Amino acid sequence: MVDQEKPETTGDIVTTIAVTRRHDLTDAQWAVLLPQPRKPGRPPQWSGRQLIDGIRWRVRAGTPWRDVPECHGSWAAAYSVFRRWQRDGTWARILTALQAIADAAGRIVWDVSVDSTIARAHQHAAGARKGGCAGRTAGRGS
């Protein structure tokens, strides 16, 4: 009888979590976006991938942090990562890197178009005096 191999139950949690939700990062996107080096010591309770997907879910849904689903880890942990990366500029670096990748692939058009039909003036801008400043006299009291 041939021994059937058991699926490996240990190892990197990123490789063991199946991406089942529609808006979660795929393995390829994760590898490009945030490759995480392994750190020695105790593994975290929630993977970075879970927390990032939780942050993305919260930003996309526009809900309070406490409404982040439990499958994305603790809402407090997701918020902590979000704020820490906001303070140290990680989100700005990620955006810059993603824009560079998209620009190199020709997916970004940097043309700017301004449509003057949407430029509006304040309602009081229409009621200027006809004579302007030239029609006024220099001294009023004389």
Side-chain angles (χ1 to χ4, degrees):
M1 179 176 209
V2 177
D3 290 332
Q4 294 181 354
E5 292 184 25
K6 289 183 180 178
E8 188 175 335
T9 57
T10 61
D12 190 4
I13 193 163
V14 172
T15 60
T16 59
I17 294 176
V19 179
T20 58
R21 289 177 179 73
R22 183 168 55 131
H23 296 291
D24 286 352
L25 293 172
T26 64
D27 291 338
Q29 290 170 330
W30 180 256
V32 170
L33 182 63
L34 295 165
Q36 296 288 329
R38 296 286 297 168
K39 294 180 183 177
R42 182 176 165 194
Q45 187 174 3
W46 296 285
S47 71
R49 189 171 184 168
Q50 284 178 295
L51 296 176
I52 298 304
D53 282 336
I55 292 168
R56 293 178 64 248
W57 181 90
R58 189 266 174 192
V59 171
R60 185 176 54 254
T63 62
W65 281 103
R66 290 181 186 262
D67 291 342
V68 172
E70 292 180 12
C71 63
H72 294 301
S74 161
W75 70 267
Y79 176 75
S80 175
V81 170
F82 176 79
R83 287 293 291 154
R84 185 173 62 243
W85 287 12
Q86 188 178 37
R87 287 185 185 123
D88 69 10
T90 301
W91 292 121
R93 287 191 300 277
I94 290 171
L95 176 63
T96 303
L98 289 175
Q99 284 176 337
I101 292 168
D103 190 29
R107 295 182 179 163
I108 296 180
V109 179
W110 295 101
D111 296 338
V112 177
S113 176
V114 178
D115 184 1
S116 64
T117 60
I118 62 168
R120 297 183 182 164
H122 191 271
Q123 63 184 357
H124 299 300
R129 294 185 182 170
K130 303 240 182 221
C133 293
R136 294 185 186 171
T137 57
R140 293 197 168 226
S142 45

